[in-house]
């Protein structure tokens, strides 16, 4: 009986917090997304400027070699089109498309990394970790190249 009397008060308080508190709204939406397990599109990019020229094929080969250290890695496809290398991989049963491109801007070579996948909401943290790992590998693969952003 008492529950029926306080139910409208609880509902009003809940509605107010949901509509006026960003933290409550985000927390509840996160729980909802986790329970529903919706698909999330993950796209991110990384760009680095270098003082000297670099070999894009060498960087892609070394990236794949580093990623192969993960036991759940599978290389599906690799293709070079002009100054772009497109790589389709599967890590932790997540299909990922990576594009590495080389550009010359004001006579400074640029490396442009594009990372794209579509996963369940529950796997989004894993994809974020994989992207960070790929960026770390790319950054560590070229220690002999001077990165303008580090200066």
């Amino acid at each position: 009986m008492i529950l029926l009397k306080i139910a409208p008060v609880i509902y009003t308080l809940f509605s107010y917090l949901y509509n006026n508190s960003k933290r409550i709204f985000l927390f509840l939406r996160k729980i909802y997304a986790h329970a529903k397990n919706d698909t999330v599109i993950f796209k991110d990019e990384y760009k680095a400027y270098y003082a000297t020229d670099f070999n894009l094929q060498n960087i892609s080969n070394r990236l794949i070699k580093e990623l192969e250290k993960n036991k759940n890695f599978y290389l599906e496809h690799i293709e070079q089109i002009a100054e772009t290398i497109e790589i389709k991989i599967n890590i932790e049963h997540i299909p990922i498309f990576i594009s590495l491109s080389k550009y010359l801007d004001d006579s400074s070579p640029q490396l442009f990394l594009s990372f794209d996948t579509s996963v369940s909401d529950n796997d989004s943290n894993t994809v974020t970790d994989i992207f960070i790992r790929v960026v770390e590998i790319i950054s560590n693969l070229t220690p002999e190249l001077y990165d303008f952003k580090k200066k």
Side-chain angles (χ1 to χ4, degrees):
M1 281 297 210
I2 197 162
L3 186 59
L4 289 174
K5 291 181 181 180
I6 63 169
V9 173
I10 292 173
Y11 176 77
T12 303
L13 179 63
F14 178 78
S15 295
Y16 176 79
L17 290 174
Y18 182 81
N19 292 321
N20 295 302
S21 171
K22 288 181 184 177
R23 286 185 181 189
I24 298 292
F25 175 79
L26 291 174
F27 175 73
L28 293 174
R29 293 302 295 173
K30 194 174 197 177
I31 289 173
Y32 175 75
H34 188 73
K36 194 172 176 187
N37 204 17
D38 279 341
T39 301
V40 177
I41 297 172
F42 185 95
K43 292 183 178 187
D44 215 334
E45 299 171 342
Y46 171 77
K47 187 188 290 188
Y49 298 86
Y50 298 103
T52 59
D53 201 4
F54 58 90
N55 184 321
L56 191 61
Q57 183 69 41
N58 187 28
I59 289 176
S60 69
N61 289 341
R62 291 167 63 190
L63 171 65
I64 291 168
K65 187 175 181 179
E66 286 295 317
L67 290 174
E68 284 176 338
K69 292 179 181 177
N70 182 330
K71 65 179 179 175
N72 293 321
F73 172 84
Y74 176 72
L75 175 64
E76 292 183 13
H77 180 76
I78 185 167
E79 181 178 1
Q80 182 165 0
I81 303 169
E83 291 296 322
T84 300
I85 295 179
E86 297 177 347
I87 306 168
K88 286 185 182 179
I89 59 174
N90 192 310
I91 298 179
E92 305 289 333
H93 307 291
I94 299 171
I96 299 169
F97 177 77
I98 296 173
S99 175
L100 295 170
S101 301
K102 179 179 173 181
Y103 297 104
L104 291 175
D105 181 29
D106 299 331
S107 72
S108 296
Q110 295 179 35
L111 175 65
F112 183 78
L113 165 73
S114 175
F115 186 96
D116 188 7
T117 188
S118 206
V119 294
S120 69
D121 181 66
N122 296 341
D123 289 332
S124 60
N125 287 338
T126 303
V127 169
T128 302
D129 293 341
I130 293 170
F131 174 72
I132 291 169
R133 178 70 181 128
V134 167
V135 169
E136 287 174 349
I137 291 170
I138 293 293
S139 295
N140 293 333
L141 284 179
T142 55
E144 68 279 0
L145 300 175
Y146 180 79
D147 189 339
F148 285 117
K149 291 185 178 182
K150 290 182 182 176
K151 189 170 184 181

